[in-house]
Amino acid sequence: MSEERSLNFLEEIIEGDVREGKHDGRVLTRFPPEPNGFLHIGHAKSICLNFGIAQQYNGKTNLRFDDTNPVTEDTRYVDSIKEDIKWLGFDWDQELYSSDYFDQMYAFAMQLIQKGKAYVDDSTAEEIAASKGTPTEPGIPTPFRSRSVEENIRLFEEMKAGKYADGAKVLRAKIDLASPNMHMRDPLMYRIRHAHHHRTGDEWCIYPMYDFAHGQSDSIERITHSICTLEFIPHRPLYDWFIDELEIFPSKQYEFARLNMNYTVMSKRKLLQLVNERFVTGWDDPRMPTISGYRRRGYTPGSIRNFCERIGIAKRENIIEYSLLEFCIREDLNKSAWRRMAVLDPIKLVITNYPAGKEEVLVGENNPEVEGGEGARNIPFSREIWIEREDFMEEPPKKFFRLGVGLMVRLKHAYIVKCENFVKDENGRVTEVHCSYIPESRSGSDTSGINVKGTIHWVSVLHAKTAEIRLYDRLFQVEDPSSEDGDFKEYINPDSLTIIRNAFIEPDLATAIPGKGYQFIRKGYFTLDIDSNENSLVFNRTVTLKDAWAKESKKG
RNA sequence: UGCCCGAUAGUAUAAUGGUAGUACGACUGUUUUUGGUGCAGUUUGUCUAGGUUCGAAUCCUGGUCGGGCAACCA
C-alpha cells in the first residue's frame, strides 16, 4: 500500500479532526435524501463521498430520509433509494427518518420560543416575503414579531393541535431582519400542512422546514461531518445558530460542488418532468441519468463508483464530460463482459464453395481479456450467414479492411473468405454477397499462410435467433440544456432511442443471463433488458465500442 | 448594486511558499483473428493588475469573470 493519493479538501478536514481527537476521533456522516424522486448520478457522487470517507476513517454512515414535506414524499421512493444505495455497494449504519424526530423537534422549537428566540407569525406568505426586504434593504418586523412568550407558546400548541388552516400561521426564528444573509432574516421553522405523511400518517399537521429539521437531525444522531452541496453555504450560519441556541451536539456542515454532466439534466424537478410528460418511459429509462437508469442500461456498480472516484471532490462548479463515464464502463466491461456475435443490420453472405447442408460447430472463448478465456461457447457455422451490411461496399475506399469484390476478411472464429460477387435487387440494393472460403484457414488450425487485415462478426442464417435491440444515444442535443434559451425539453435528442426489432444473434445468447454484460463483438456492450421474456429477447446497448474507423471514414 | 462561494490544459483534478503533475478527451505510432483492448508517444494550462518574498498557482490588495442567496421546497 505505497500508493500516494492526494487528499481532497474534505479528507484533509476530517483527517485533521481525527488527528486532533475531535469527537474522540469518531467519524459519522449521513446521506440524507428526500424521498420525493429517484436517485441520480449526482446522488451517487454524494453517496460515494459520504460512505467512502466514513469507511476511510473507520467511521459509519447513516441513511436518513429527510421527510419533512409530506405532500411530495412517498414510500415508493424510499424503497427505490434503498435499493440503489445497496446496488452501489454501500451499507448504512442506521436507517433513520427526520420524521422520527418530530416530537424532539417540537420540543426544540418550544425551547426557542421560551428563550424568546422564536415567534408565531400570522402574516401571509406574501406579507412575509415582502417584509424580509431585499438583499440591499433590511427587512421590517411584522406586527407579530413582538408577541409575548406566553402567547407564542399557546399559539404554537394550537397550531400543533390543528386549530388553524394551512398557511394561517407559521413559526419563525427571531434572529436579525437586517442581516446581509437573507437566510437569517427570521427564517420559517414550522408551517401548517394538513396532509397525510407517508410515515407519521395524520399525527401531525405542522411540519418543520429544512433549516430547522436538518441540523437538528444531524445533532440528534451526533453526526460529526454533515456534508452537503454548495447551495447550502448561506444556510450554514443558520445551521450553527440553531445548534448554538439549543446547546445541542455541534454537528458541522461542509459543502462541495455537486456533479453536473454534459448532454443531460440533473435536477429532480426536470427529471420528473421527463417522466411525467413521457419523454422517457420512467425513472429507470436507460437514457435517464438515474442510478436505476444506468443499472437497466447495463452500467455496473463498480464503474459508477470508479467514475465518482475519478471526478474528484472540490468546491468549483463543474460539468463533467459524459465521455469519462463511458470510459469507466468500457474499462469495467472490457474485463468482464463475455464476447458474443450479433448482426444488427443484416445482409446475407453465401459461401459458394461450402457444401449446402453441411454444418460445423466452432468454438469461441468467452473472454479474451482473462487467461483461459473464462470458458467457451459453441458457434454453429453453415453455408449462409448474416453479416453486417456496413461490412460490405460495392466500391470500397482505400483502407477499407472489409468486404468488396476481390477483398478478403476473416470471419471471426471461422474461415477466411474472399468476396467474388454480389447480387442487387431492382432498386439497386445489395441483397447478397457471394464469397468463397479457404478450407485450410479455419481458426485455430490455419495453415493457409494468408494474412488478412480485417475480421468481421457473423451469425449462421440457419441457427440465428432473433432479438430486439435498443440503441441509446445522448438524451439531449446540447451540452447544457438548462442554460439554453427556452424550455430545456426543446433540446431533447429525437434520436436518443433506436429500436431494432429483428436483429440476429448467435444461439448461445438465447440463454443470456440477466444483469450480465455482453460484448457484441465490434458493436458494443449490451445487457438483457427487463422487458425480455421466454418468447422474446430484448437487449439494451450500454455503450458502443470506440470506433476508429468511424473517425477515419469521416475524414473522407 | 448587498452578502457569500469559486477561478490551474478542451473537461476534471493535484501541487499545502521551492521542478506546474495525473486522468479523460484529441492526435501519432505499434500490437492485435474485435478498426476493440494493450503498449509507446505528442498536444494544450496557473483569469488579470499590483504587492510581500531569494522564490508565488499557493500569501495580501484591487479588478474581471462564473455561480449561489430574498420558496410556508430540500
Side-chain angles (χ1 to χ4, degrees):
Chain A
M1 291 289 282
S2 61
E3 195 173 322
E4 274 298 313
R5 200 182 131 265
S6 55
L7 302 178
N8 65 48
F9 78 100
L10 289 171
E11 291 168 326
E12 295 212 1
I13 289 168
I14 292 178
E15 200 159 300
D17 288 347
V18 170
R19 197 185 313 117
E20 289 163 21
K22 198 169 175 180
H23 307 306
D24 303 316
R26 187 176 60 89
V27 173
L28 180 61
T29 61
R30 103 268 91 114
F31 175 64
E34 182 187 12
N36 67 348
F38 281 59
L39 262 24
H40 55 61
I41 187 84
H43 293 107
K45 177 179 182 181
S46 175
I47 290 167
C48 291
L49 173 61
N50 274 296
F51 284 87
I53 212 164
Q55 280 172 13
Q56 257 177 86
Y57 298 99
N58 297 311
K60 290 177 175 173
T61 304
N62 286 343
L63 169 59
R64 182 173 72 235
F65 290 95
D66 219 343
D67 56 349
T68 57
N69 185 0
V71 302
T72 58
E73 297 156 5
D74 197 276
T75 41
R76 157 178 184 241
Y77 296 123
V78 169
D79 295 339
S80 81
I81 287 168
K82 285 159 64 175
E83 183 186 358
D84 288 349
I85 298 170
K86 282 185 202 155
W87 179 77
L88 273 177
F90 294 102
D91 277 316
W92 49 88
D93 186 46
Q94 296 184 76
E95 176 184 334
L96 302 163
Y97 295 79
S98 295
S99 55
D100 295 340
Y101 313 133
F102 280 171
D103 283 311
Q104 178 64 259
M105 287 177 197
Y106 179 79
F108 282 154
M110 269 304 180
Q111 252 177 271
L112 290 177
I113 291 172
Q114 270 153 354
K115 278 182 79 175
K117 298 286 187 177
Y119 62 99
V120 172
D121 196 323
D122 302 1
S123 309
T124 64
E126 296 71 32
E127 286 165 346
I128 289 177
S131 71
K132 278 192 181 181
T134 69
T136 50
E137 297 166 90
I140 48 164
T142 66
F144 309 99
R145 195 173 200 259
S146 50
R147 284 217 253 238
S148 69
V149 168
E150 292 68 30
E151 187 179 14
N152 282 321
I153 290 173
R154 178 176 59 81
L155 291 172
F156 189 50
E157 282 173 345
E158 289 176 354
M159 278 169 65
K160 178 180 187 257
K163 187 168 176 185
Y164 305 107
D166 287 8
K169 286 180 167 48
V170 292
L171 183 71
R172 298 176 72 180
K174 197 180 206 174
I175 307 180
D176 177 9
L177 286 167
S179 172
N181 182 343
M182 297 300 289
H183 293 278
M184 299 299 274
R185 320 249 267 223
D186 289 12
L188 271 61
M189 294 167 60
Y190 269 92
R191 77 286 215 189
I192 300 171
R193 275 263 209 287
H194 290 272
H196 189 82
H197 187 280
H198 69 109
R199 282 181 68 84
T200 59
D202 299 314
E203 190 186 340
W204 293 84
C205 64
I206 56 171
Y207 292 91
M209 301 288 291
Y210 167 84
D211 284 307
F212 189 66
H214 202 97
Q216 283 47 61
S217 301
D218 285 342
S219 182
I220 290 166
E221 294 173 22
R222 301 175 70 80
I223 299 294
T224 57
H225 302 266
S226 179
I227 301 169
C228 61
T229 45
L230 252 31
E231 66 269 26
F232 291 99
I233 289 176
H235 296 247
R236 195 194 321 135
L238 181 55
Y239 182 103
D240 292 336
W241 188 88
F242 281 127
I243 283 177
D244 286 349
E245 291 295 335
L246 259 11
E247 299 178 65
I248 53 180
F249 181 83
S251 297
K252 290 288 176 195
Q253 174 182 302
Y254 303 90
E255 311 87 8
F256 71 100
R258 68 174 341 124
L259 166 68
N260 296 292
M261 198 157 56
N262 60 9
Y263 299 108
T264 191
V265 292
M266 206 67 83
S267 86
K268 269 192 208 170
R269 205 190 96 249
K270 292 196 174 79
L271 295 176
L272 184 62
Q273 278 184 61
L274 294 176
V275 173
N276 287 345
E277 297 170 33
R278 305 294 169 94
F279 288 99
V280 295
T281 58
W283 285 97
D284 68 344
D285 186 298
R287 292 167 292 184
M288 290 281 273
T290 51
I291 294 177
S292 50
Y294 286 118
R295 176 169 59 229
R296 185 168 174 185
R297 177 137 169 189
Y299 276 74
T300 59
S303 69
I304 291 177
R305 287 196 306 267
N306 191 235
F307 172 75
C308 292
E309 185 67 31
R310 283 169 179 270
I311 59 179
I313 300 294
K315 297 186 79 159
R316 171 162 47 139
E317 303 275 353
N318 60 79
I319 301 181
I320 305 290
E321 290 180 344
Y322 184 67
S323 59
L324 181 62
L325 219 206
E326 289 190 318
F327 168 81
C328 291
I329 187 59
R330 286 191 185 115
E331 181 186 46
D332 184 317
L333 257 16
N334 178 51
K335 290 276 186 282
S336 63
W338 281 4
R339 271 57 171 176
R340 291 294 182 267
M341 293 197 285
V343 176
L344 276 45
D345 181 17
I347 182 173
K348 189 181 280 186
L349 184 152
V350 180
I351 304 166
T352 52
N353 60 340
Y354 194 91
K358 178 175 176 180
E359 290 178 25
E360 284 182 79
V361 176
L362 305 173
V363 174
E365 60 192 344
N366 286 322
N367 186 353
E369 294 296 312
V370 174
E371 196 154 20
E374 290 184 346
R377 85 287 188 187
N378 292 331
I379 314 167
F381 183 79
S382 61
R383 188 171 194 266
E384 297 191 346
I385 61 176
W386 298 114
I387 64 166
E388 214 69 60
R389 180 168 288 277
E390 64 180 12
D391 286 340
F392 171 83
M393 284 184 90
E394 260 185 270
E395 294 175 42
K398 278 179 198 159
K399 294 195 203 168
F400 185 74
F401 306 137
R402 308 183 190 179
L403 287 173
V405 174
L407 298 181
M408 298 171 91
V409 296
R410 172 174 292 281
L411 299 173
K412 181 75 179 173
H413 299 305
Y415 298 94
I416 292 174
V417 293
K418 179 176 184 181
C419 181
E420 311 284 5
N421 211 337
F422 60 94
V423 180
K424 286 206 254 190
D425 64 15
E426 60 275 17
N427 301 317
R429 182 175 162 88
V430 177
T431 54
E432 278 185 15
V433 176
H434 290 181
C435 293
S436 57
Y437 86 116
I438 296 163
E440 58 272 25
S441 67
R442 182 170 153 158
S443 280
S445 54
D446 185 350
T447 56
S448 71
I450 301 171
N451 278 317
V452 292
K453 277 279 211 178
T455 299
I456 64 172
H457 59 281
W458 53 273
V459 176
S460 166
V461 170
L462 198 60
H463 307 89
K465 307 282 184 194
T466 60
E468 173 175 321
I469 295 189
R470 297 176 184 169
L471 307 177
Y472 302 101
D473 198 354
R474 53 178 59 140
L475 227 198
F476 289 90
Q477 297 172 294
V478 295
E479 289 207 34
D480 187 4
S482 308
S483 73
E484 298 284 340
D485 291 336
D487 191 285
F488 76 101
K489 296 190 291 299
E490 291 169 26
Y491 300 93
I492 289 177
N493 176 8
D495 303 316
S496 60
L497 170 62
T498 302
I499 297 177
I500 296 174
R501 301 277 173 201
N502 285 299
F504 293 115
I505 60 175
E506 65 168 273
D508 188 85
L509 278 172
T511 55
I513 301 160
K516 181 158 181 58
Y518 293 91
Q519 186 196 97
F520 291 180
I521 291 173
R522 300 208 302 141
K523 299 280 23 167
Y525 295 99
F526 294 78
T527 197
L528 210 53
D529 187 77
I530 48 177
D531 286 345
S532 299
N533 58 48
E534 290 162 13
N535 306 317
S536 69
L537 296 171
V538 179
F539 287 92
N540 293 322
R541 184 174 68 195
T542 309
V543 65
T544 61
L545 258 26
K546 284 213 283 188
D547 190 348
W549 169 246
K551 283 179 190 169
E552 178 68 29
S553 55
K554 255 185 213 165
K555 289 179 192 167

